[in-house]
Amino acid sequence: MTSSSASAKPSAGALPVLSAMMFLQFFVWGAWYVPVTGWLNDLGLGGLTVWVFSVCPIAAIVSPIFLGMIADRFFASQKVLGILHLVGAVFMFLIPTMITKDSVAGTAPTSFWHPCVLLMLGHALCYMPTLALSSSVALAHLTSVEKQFPIVRVSGTIGWIIAGLVVSMLLPGGDKSPWQFYLVGIAGVALGFMSFALPNTPPPLAGKKVGVGQLLGLDAISLLKNPQFALFMLCSLLICIPLSGYYQQARNFVDFSGLADPAFKMTFGQMSEVFFMAIMPLIIVRLGVKKMLLFGMLAWVARYGLFALGAPDKVAWMVIGGILLHGICYDFFFVAGQIYVDKDTPHEVRGQAQSFFVLITQGVGMLIGAQAINWLVGKNTTITETVGGAKEVVFNWQQIWFWPAMFAAVIAVIFFVFFKEKKAAGAK
């Protein structure tokens, strides 16, 4: 048996290096995913925002096919991780080189085929598969998954926070600076080379025949015959539509509200995520999955409600409060959702059901959401001409956030009324 087919062995000393890997994994994403709107607006490329925030959902739909058909069958996971990050870094280095104020002067591009979008799509196609790969590498080498993986995973959230701090506080021009892409590229190169030094993680599907349906989790569609599982998946898809709006427009809203260093302010959401992730094991035992999911949905209603109420007068505490709710919005829904899928599906299709959940939420839901929020912003934007002939763009942020709040509220009510959590054995 070759090393490529041998089983990965847990290592007691792997925790620090795996935590460092996860730190860089999310540093790469956090250094551009929220700050990029500042750079786009500064270059007059705001019309590309919808497409820039569509590339990751598109890549999330495609990546399971790549992982299952190629990476998971023929190559060690840490080597694929390294190659993808190195190639992804190249795309990031090219963006500020090719997309400059001079190159876009006098244009108002809105096309998916704009070079900026295509370069970001290239990076996303490299990056999104690494989310699963980095988790796979970590899980394969931890001696106690239940105790150690939360430590590794929270290192990623800290990486996202530090990335926002660096972009906002240290780069010249803050989140309007093209240096954010160089920062991502440097971090990607560092993680790429580091990956080759990670413990060997053989391809998990070596020698196995796997169909496209299994890779996308489409074989789990049969589970939709269960009305409760179907309702859960439907609500999961729909609730990700307003979530996409948060990532796409919240930074711009913070800037509109007059708060300094918007990219830094957005990291407050990840800070709260660390806190709620830490206390989640205590909460879920007391609340159960349904209440956790419901509180997550209601937190999205509260978040967008605070944004809408605070928009007219630019009320700082409402803006910050909405950002701080991200910990409940994200952790309570997505983590509890994964737990529900794990507990409520047969063992033989459990992995496919998790893939289907990711496809529906991070892929389809977020992709629809990117298009929907772009339409909503367009409907609530007016362009007026000043006395000097200059054009002024005015956003009705109250309406932009009011409708996602109402949308999330309707989903929460439907979920509360119709979803029935399966009782544990022996429960009355």
Side-chain angles (χ1 to χ4, degrees):
M1 183 178 292
T2 65
S3 60
S4 63
S5 60
S7 299
K9 294 182 180 179
S11 171
L15 186 61
V17 70
L18 294 175
S19 296
M21 171 199 70
M22 198 66 75
F23 176 93
L24 286 173
Q25 174 72 40
F26 282 89
F27 185 99
V28 167
W29 202 4
W32 77 270
Y33 196 60
V34 171
V36 71
T37 54
W39 176 77
L40 288 171
N41 294 337
D42 188 55
L43 262 65
L45 297 177
L48 294 178
T49 301
V50 59
W51 297 118
V52 168
F53 281 86
S54 296
V55 297
C56 284
I58 291 171
I61 295 172
V62 174
S63 63
I65 301 176
F66 167 78
L67 288 175
M69 298 299 288
I70 300 176
D72 284 352
R73 298 180 66 192
F74 301 109
F75 304 101
S77 295
Q78 80 278 3
K79 294 179 180 178
V80 179
L81 185 69
I83 292 171
L84 288 175
H85 275 298
L86 290 173
V87 176
V90 173
F91 286 106
M92 278 293 163
F93 286 131
L94 288 174
I95 290 172
T97 304
M98 297 178 62
I99 313 300
T100 64
K101 287 190 176 182
D102 289 337
S103 69
V104 301
T107 65
T110 58
S111 170
F112 174 81
W113 304 107
H114 190 276
C116 177
V117 178
L118 295 179
L119 288 170
M120 289 185 173
L121 176 62
H123 173 78
L125 289 171
C126 293
Y127 180 83
M128 295 308 286
T130 66
L131 291 172
L133 284 167
S134 58
S135 293
S136 296
V137 171
L139 291 167
H141 297 283
L142 295 174
T143 54
S144 176
V145 171
E146 294 80 4
K147 294 180 180 179
Q148 295 176 324
F149 186 69
I151 298 174
V152 173
R153 180 56 187 83
V154 83
S155 299
T157 303
I158 294 172
W160 183 295
I161 294 170
I162 298 299
L165 288 172
V166 172
V167 171
S168 187
M169 301 295 191
L170 299 182
L171 294 187
D175 59 13
K176 296 179 181 179
S177 171
W179 280 96
Q180 61 186 272
F181 301 106
Y182 292 120
L183 181 66
V184 174
I186 292 169
V189 169
L191 180 52
F193 284 115
M194 175 188 175
S195 297
F196 291 104
L198 292 171
N200 184 49
T201 310
L205 300 179
K208 298 180 181 179
K209 292 186 65 176
V210 182
V212 174
Q214 289 176 290
L215 300 176
L216 292 175
L218 297 182
D219 289 354
I221 287 180
S222 61
L223 296 172
L224 297 178
K225 295 177 182 177
N226 177 351
Q228 295 304 309
F229 187 80
L231 177 64
F232 164 75
M233 282 295 180
L234 176 62
C235 290
S236 297
L237 186 153
L238 294 176
I239 203 70
C240 281
I241 294 175
L243 171 63
S244 186
Y246 174 77
Y247 287 122
Q248 185 173 320
Q249 294 295 336
R251 179 262 165 215
N252 291 338
F253 177 60
V254 172
D255 192 29
F256 158 83
S257 300
L259 299 177
D261 304 313
F264 167 62
K265 298 298 191 300
M266 290 294 292
T267 64
F268 291 179
Q270 278 66 45
M271 295 178 191
S272 72
E273 188 180 332
V274 173
F275 171 76
F276 285 107
M277 186 74 76
I279 66 173
M280 182 173 290
L282 301 175
I283 297 175
I284 197 167
V285 172
R286 291 166 173 77
L287 295 182
V289 170
K290 177 177 179 177
K291 290 181 180 178
M292 287 282 288
L293 291 167
L294 184 61
F295 282 145
M297 294 178 183
L298 291 175
W300 290 4
V301 178
R303 165 200 277 170
Y304 295 129
L306 284 171
F307 283 176
L309 291 171
D313 297 320
K314 302 181 180 181
V315 183
W317 75 263
M318 288 186 172
V319 178
I320 297 299
I323 295 172
L324 288 172
L325 282 170
H326 183 73
I328 301 177
C329 295
Y330 192 89
D331 292 347
F332 277 38
F333 182 80
F334 280 102
V335 176
Q338 290 174 319
I339 292 171
Y340 168 74
V341 171
D342 186 72
K343 291 174 61 177
D344 207 60
T345 56
H347 177 75
E348 59 272 15
V349 294
R350 193 165 292 161
Q352 295 176 52
Q354 293 286 4
S355 295
F356 187 54
F357 179 61
V358 172
L359 175 68
I360 287 294
T361 55
Q362 302 288 349
V364 179
M366 294 285 281
L367 182 59
I368 295 172
Q371 304 297 318
I373 193 67
N374 180 68
W375 174 85
L376 185 61
V377 169
K379 294 289 287 185
N380 290 280
T381 300
T382 56
I383 301 176
T384 59
E385 192 167 310
T386 62
V387 177
K391 292 183 178 180
E392 182 180 9
V393 181
V394 179
F395 299 97
N396 186 343
W397 286 108
Q398 187 171 47
Q399 287 297 303
I400 290 172
W401 295 124
F402 171 79
W403 290 109
M406 292 299 99
F407 189 81
V410 171
I411 298 167
V413 170
I414 293 172
F415 184 80
F416 173 73
V417 173
F418 295 104
F419 183 79
K420 308 298 180 185
E421 184 175 0
K422 185 185 295 184
K423 292 183 178 181
K428 295 183 180 180

